[in-house]
Amino acid sequence: MASKVLTDFIDVLRAADVPVSTAETLDALQVADSLGYGDRARLKAGLSLALAKDAARKRVFDACFEQYFRFAPASGDDNDPASEHRPDVQDSGQRGQAGGASSAGGNNLSELSAQLLQGSDADQQLALARALEQAQARDIKVITQKGLVGRRVYQALGGDGLDDDIRRLSESGAVADRQLENALRARRDQVRASIREQVAREFLMRGARESRALRERAMRASSLRDLSDFRDVRAQIEKMARRLVAMHSRRQRRMKRGILDARRTVTASVPLEGVPGRLYWRDRRRNKARLFVICDVSSSVQAAARFLLLFLAAVNDVLPRTRSFVFAARFAEVTDLFSQFGPDDAVDEILDTWAGSGTDYAAMFEQFLAASGRQLDRRSTVIILGDGRNNDMPAGQQYLAAIQARAKQVLWLNPEGQWRWGSGDSEVPAYRPYCTRMSTCATLADLERFVADLLRALQTS
Amino acid sequence: MKTRIQSVDEVIESFASQGYICNDQIATAVYLAAQLRKPVLVEGPPGVGKTELAKASAAFLEAPLIRLQCYEGVDEAKALYEWKYGKQLLYTQLLKEKLGDLLAGADSMDACMERLAGMGDAFYSETFLEPRPLLQALRSDEAPVLLVDEVDKADQEFESFLLELLSDYQISVPELGTVSARTEPLVFLTSNNTRELSDALKRRCLHLYIPFPDQALENRIVAARVPEVSDSLRDQLVSFVQALREQDLRKQPAVSETLDWARSLLLLHASELDQALVEKTLNVLLKYEDDIRTVEEGLGGLLRKLWPARS
């Protein structure tokens, strides 16, 4: 029984994004065994040691523990309370009706009514816990199920009998019966409120995970243009970015090799009679790579630009020096804005100031070359985000060719699907030969893949 | 080592008698680590008594404490074992003649090699082995407390190297084979969180996070460590430090600094905190010029907020 409670609790933790391995589950069981369930605070401390392994997770753990172990976990025996409980409820329900037909007395009440009037709080909580189990409230997945599940719990608790009692009493004329009716009504409201609360809690603990996972999947796959409909895009981007940063900061560390550490190498060579059998290195090689990001912020591709800039700002820790440019009708460098404001405000500011229409890619390339062509070298990566729709003006691919000739690679992100490249005023076919790679970037998933590839490429260079 | 710990309370009491005042959480960690034979990873800001915890545990369990201080570049040679190269060289020099005698009768190269082989691994034997902390802990007759201090300062490779030790209390060494612990040590790892430790390491450990103590606990710590300080002064200095921790500082004052401050105030025969006194002794609590300046600027306000009755 105890282990069921614990594994259930671990499910709740996992739902709250605290990763718990099988080995840790076993640890938790051992912890509970050696501490016992007697002292709540100590159990909490012990489980926290075994299950939550950094400061942030400890906070989540504390919240989950408080939620989960709010009333005593001893919610009945394991021998399926449902099977023995349900006939009881029906029984008493019928008894209630039968009693109503024969005499309008307050003595033939359903089990739930009797319990509400006489039973202790603990009994009621126990009954509620059983009903939750029986109605499978734990399987609640989406928020719209709350009403249905609440209704099921109410029925499992014997709510029909209670409703009958109240109806029967209201038909009776006796004063005592009316008083009883009022008392039961008040109690019924309480019961309903606590069911609502419990079901909401179950949803928060379990269902929320499912729907969050569902929403995350939807978020990653939906078009960047629609993303502003989601409330927590920002959190999602940060989550993706964190994963990438963790992955790549590790890779960077492994690759550090630099100047020979003469002292250590010589010391290590003593036992080998001065033959430097093992070399030691002192310094890491500085990553000299440079990144130039050029974003089209005209209205058609603005959304993509926003998320690309946010994403790059979020992985800034593992990126080399980055210069950002935006253009629509005008071309401007926005690197300083990012250091001045936070990434969020900077992006808002950028879109407010420079967004517009009438993109001219040729002019943009020319200005970019003039502004920073000198800085382009074999370690530079140029990222261009845009749809390549040049309003029927000359494409100016010779400038892009010049950029490509100086830089290490030119990566083009196109928010349009591949079937639209080259349609209408799109100059993509003219630009494409001068790009190291041109890829579609329509969803967060695309963006994540692009940034991951970029980081990998930068670090192996 | 003491083999059985009766209860968490026993840990708390014993620690208290050593002057290490701890809350339930810390005591539970020590109790469980000893019961389940699991290593404990202790994290928290600097100066909250992570290293002290290992020392207090060693005293409580009546076990020897073996300490390995980690730093960038710590490797197997520093942590596990090393050959005593100097001694090996010296011995070969001294034994040159003896070796000559031994090899005198052999006429061919093969014969020489055979004779040398017959002598066994004389130079790679126990005599020339320098055990470092980890090997010492594994080969100790009495189960020790092993403290791997500031494991976050070590490289990623070293962290992976520790995994075998932490899960099975054994280590594989090319020349010696697999060394298993004679008696399982109680392992504490401490980290200041200068970098994120790998999940693999965390999975194998119980994870204890020690935050700065709250006011009541810090009060008790000061009372235990610097008992000479009067009750009223102790209350004052602890609430002042607690208020400092809420400010935006580069380095917040740790418990060890509170204790230092209490001792300094004692030496100055202070009976009550006032602005001049705090200004004079602030450098005991704060270690950065910027921090001192920030606090000095708002000092009057801070003191008035803490003790409005006085002004």
Side-chain angles (χ1 to χ4, degrees):
Chain A
M1 200 269 335
S3 67
K4 170 87 167 57
V5 172
L6 253 184
T7 47
D8 240 23
F9 174 58
I10 287 168
D11 270 351
V12 171
L13 275 182
R14 287 185 179 139
D17 271 347
V18 177
V20 180
S21 70
T22 315
E24 284 163 331
T25 307
L26 293 176
D27 288 348
L29 287 171
Q30 277 188 305
V31 165
D33 269 353
S34 64
L35 288 176
Y37 284 86
D39 187 333
R40 188 170 180 279
R42 230 161 242 179
L43 181 67
K44 181 175 166 184
L47 290 180
S48 158
L49 288 168
L51 294 173
K53 306 235 161 146
D54 65 35
R57 289 179 200 164
K58 296 243 182 233
R59 276 194 295 279
V60 179
F61 172 90
D62 286 350
C64 286
F65 188 92
E66 295 301 332
Q67 282 256 318
Y68 186 81
F69 290 105
R70 202 155 56 166
F71 56 81
S75 60
D77 314 329
D78 234 5
N79 52 12
D80 195 10
S83 55
E84 52 170 347
H85 201 62
R86 187 181 283 282
D88 253 24
V89 175
Q90 283 167 349
D91 244 26
S92 55
Q94 280 157 6
R95 233 189 297 129
Q97 276 167 357
S102 61
S103 80
N107 29 10
N108 275 328
L109 289 172
S110 76
E111 190 192 8
L112 177 61
S113 315
Q115 195 193 53
L116 285 178
L117 294 173
Q118 285 138 29
S120 67
D121 268 2
D123 285 344
Q124 279 169 37
Q125 294 227 319
L126 202 63
L128 182 55
R130 276 188 186 150
L132 280 170
E133 186 110 346
Q134 195 182 334
Q136 287 162 344
R138 303 214 150 147
D139 294 341
I140 183 166
K141 290 207 171 53
V142 286
I143 199 157
T144 44
Q145 285 178 317
K146 267 194 197 169
L148 176 71
V149 173
R151 179 77 204 147
R152 278 215 304 258
V153 174
Y154 183 63
Q155 276 171 348
L157 202 58
D160 291 343
L162 176 61
D163 289 345
D164 284 340
D165 286 342
I166 290 177
R167 202 181 50 242
R168 196 159 41 75
L169 289 170
S170 69
E171 284 159 5
S172 140
V175 179
D177 281 354
R178 301 306 293 269
Q179 275 174 349
L180 196 58
E181 182 210 339
N182 284 335
L184 278 179
R185 272 186 196 281
R187 291 300 167 93
R188 185 171 67 176
D189 289 346
Q190 281 171 15
V191 169
R192 282 181 173 162
S194 63
I195 288 177
R196 265 201 303 278
E197 192 188 333
Q198 284 294 329
V199 172
R201 200 160 71 89
E202 292 291 339
F203 172 72
L204 271 185
M205 289 200 298
R206 290 160 221 281
R209 165 175 53 170
E210 305 263 345
S211 42
R212 194 172 57 221
L214 196 72
R215 203 169 60 236
E216 274 177 14
R217 241 175 297 141
M219 217 186 304
R220 289 163 60 101
S222 61
S223 151
L224 290 175
R225 231 185 261 208
D226 306 329
L227 266 186
S228 43
D229 297 345
F230 290 94
R231 265 176 301 129
D232 34 10
V233 187
R234 178 93 190 125
Q236 175 68 11
I237 289 183
E238 247 153 37
K239 197 168 150 188
M240 292 161 125
R242 250 199 322 271
R243 226 186 47 228
L244 288 178
V245 169
M247 231 159 80
H248 289 275
S249 50
R250 193 151 294 173
R251 193 170 293 146
Q252 199 167 28
R253 205 172 297 127
R254 203 180 331 129
M255 293 207 322
K256 65 185 172 194
R257 282 282 178 269
I259 309 165
L260 192 72
D261 185 342
R263 197 185 58 81
R264 274 189 84 188
T265 307
V266 170
T267 317
S269 73
V270 168
L272 304 169
E273 304 222 329
V275 180
R278 184 170 168 193
L279 303 180
Y280 290 91
W281 307 92
R282 176 178 290 155
D283 212 341
R284 65 198 72 181
R285 187 174 57 193
R286 288 262 165 267
N287 195 346
K288 290 263 179 58
R290 244 180 228 271
L291 208 60
F292 296 86
V293 185
I294 309 172
C295 285
D296 182 345
V297 287
S298 64
S299 45
S300 50
V301 291
Q302 217 184 62
R306 166 187 289 270
F307 292 114
L308 177 68
L309 289 173
L310 280 179
F311 214 131
L312 290 180
V315 294
N316 193 30
D317 284 350
V318 287
L319 278 183
R321 280 164 303 163
T322 307
R323 289 180 67 185
S324 326
F325 304 86
V326 295
F327 75 103
R330 291 170 296 152
F331 173 80
E333 173 161 8
V334 293
T335 314
D336 291 343
L337 284 179
F338 278 95
S339 44
Q340 222 174 79
F341 309 103
D344 271 324
D345 295 338
V347 171
D348 284 342
E349 177 81 20
I350 288 166
L351 294 182
D352 280 353
T353 320
W354 282 283
S357 56
T359 46
D360 180 353
Y361 278 76
M364 178 274 286
F365 287 138
E366 201 183 347
Q367 287 177 33
F368 173 71
L369 268 176
S372 32
R374 223 173 278 212
Q375 286 184 21
L376 289 176
D377 59 20
R378 302 310 303 171
R379 287 185 292 255
S380 310
T381 297
V382 180
I383 300 171
I384 300 164
L385 177 111
D387 53 7
R389 295 195 176 272
N390 213 17
N391 301 314
D392 297 321
M393 284 187 282
Q397 64 265 48
Q398 70 273 19
Y399 298 117
L400 186 60
I403 293 174
Q404 189 220 13
R406 291 191 199 180
K408 178 176 162 233
Q409 52 179 352
V410 176
L411 305 173
W412 191 303
L413 286 173
N414 197 330
E416 292 185 344
Q418 203 157 352
W419 72 94
R420 296 190 58 198
W421 296 1
S423 71
D425 61 349
S426 167
E427 299 287 356
V428 169
Y431 296 135
R432 205 170 171 188
Y434 305 106
C435 297
T436 320
R437 209 173 60 229
M438 182 177 278
S439 38
T440 306
C441 169
T443 65
L444 271 189
D446 290 344
L447 205 53
E448 187 187 27
R449 188 165 348 119
F450 168 76
V451 176
D453 286 349
L454 173 71
L455 290 174
R456 201 168 306 128
L458 285 176
Q459 272 165 14
T460 47
S461 61
Chain B
M1 185 192 272
K2 239 165 111 148
T3 43
R4 284 222 53 86
I5 304 178
Q6 298 301 327
S7 68
V8 178
D9 297 310
E10 190 189 342
V11 181
I12 298 183
E13 275 161 34
S14 157
F15 278 14
S17 71
Q18 297 176 43
Y20 187 87
I21 308 296
C22 69
N23 56 16
D24 240 32
Q25 198 134 29
I26 296 174
T28 310
V30 174
Y31 172 76
L32 284 175
Q35 294 299 87
L36 309 183
R37 299 270 117 213
K38 286 223 116 214
V40 189
L41 171 63
V42 192
E43 284 192 309
V48 289
K50 297 188 291 290
T51 308
E52 280 304 308
L53 173 63
K55 291 187 189 161
S57 304
F60 164 57
L61 296 167
E62 295 156 12
L65 176 73
I66 298 176
R67 179 170 176 172
L68 170 66
Q69 175 71 45
C70 294
Y71 49 87
E72 202 174 318
V74 66
D75 56 9
E76 288 159 50
K78 293 287 177 335
L80 189 56
Y81 74 100
E82 199 166 22
W83 295 107
K84 295 175 181 166
Y85 300 122
K87 199 170 168 188
Q88 280 174 335
L89 279 178
L90 200 63
Y91 273 49
T92 34
Q93 291 297 322
L94 290 174
L95 293 176
K96 226 173 202 167
E97 281 175 26
K98 181 75 180 153
L99 281 172
D101 291 350
L102 276 173
L103 298 178
D107 38 9
S108 72
M109 195 68 180
D110 283 346
C112 282
M113 296 292 276
E114 214 157 287
R115 277 200 201 171
L116 275 178
M119 286 179 230
D121 285 337
F123 287 97
Y124 284 94
S125 63
E126 199 70 15
T127 333
F128 297 101
L129 186 72
E130 175 86 73
R132 300 289 187 187
L134 296 186
L135 194 60
Q136 279 171 24
L138 290 180
R139 304 209 306 180
S140 161
D141 287 324
E142 195 186 350
V145 172
L146 172 64
L147 168 63
V148 182
D149 217 0
E150 307 195 332
V151 67
D152 52 332
K153 298 246 168 65
D155 307 320
Q156 199 103 32
E157 294 84 359
F158 185 71
E159 202 182 302
S160 314
F161 164 76
L162 281 178
L163 294 180
E164 189 185 358
L165 172 76
L166 295 178
S167 52
D168 298 329
Y169 296 112
Q170 65 172 41
I171 277 181
S172 302
V173 180
E175 290 99 330
L176 306 175
T178 301
V179 184
S180 312
R182 284 189 198 154
T183 47
E184 288 180 356
L186 179 62
V187 185
F188 286 93
L189 301 116
T190 74
S191 154
N192 281 334
N193 243 335
T194 52
R195 72 179 169 86
E196 189 78 1
L197 296 172
S198 74
D199 277 345
L201 182 87
K202 287 183 172 175
R203 247 198 326 272
R204 285 169 173 78
C205 303
L206 297 174
H207 182 277
L208 175 67
Y209 183 80
I210 309 185
F212 284 122
D214 58 19
Q215 183 148 359
L217 188 62
E218 190 161 28
N219 222 322
R220 283 174 51 212
I221 295 173
V222 177
R225 283 301 179 91
V226 196
E228 302 87 349
V229 172
S230 72
D231 287 358
S232 66
L233 179 62
R234 191 178 67 229
D235 279 345
Q236 287 177 18
L237 76 91
V238 170
S239 35
F240 183 77
V241 172
Q242 293 272 342
L244 274 192
R245 289 208 187 108
E246 275 163 26
Q247 298 205 347
D248 180 27
L249 298 175
R250 253 175 90 185
K251 185 189 172 302
Q252 298 190 319
V255 182
S256 47
E257 276 139 8
T258 314
L259 294 175
D260 286 346
W261 197 39
R263 288 192 194 105
S264 322
L265 293 176
L266 202 65
L267 282 177
L268 295 171
H269 302 291
S271 59
E272 192 177 57
L273 281 186
D274 57 47
Q275 186 154 352
L277 184 66
V278 174
E279 264 171 22
K280 243 188 328 196
T281 53
L282 208 52
N283 55 356
V284 180
L285 277 178
L286 301 171
K287 303 291 160 76
Y288 285 101
E289 199 52 44
D290 297 353
D291 286 352
I292 295 181
R293 221 171 303 128
T294 324
V295 172
E296 266 175 359
E297 275 164 23
L299 191 57
L302 187 64
L303 289 176
R304 265 195 301 284
K305 210 170 80 192
L306 283 174
W307 299 288
R310 263 200 240 161
S311 51

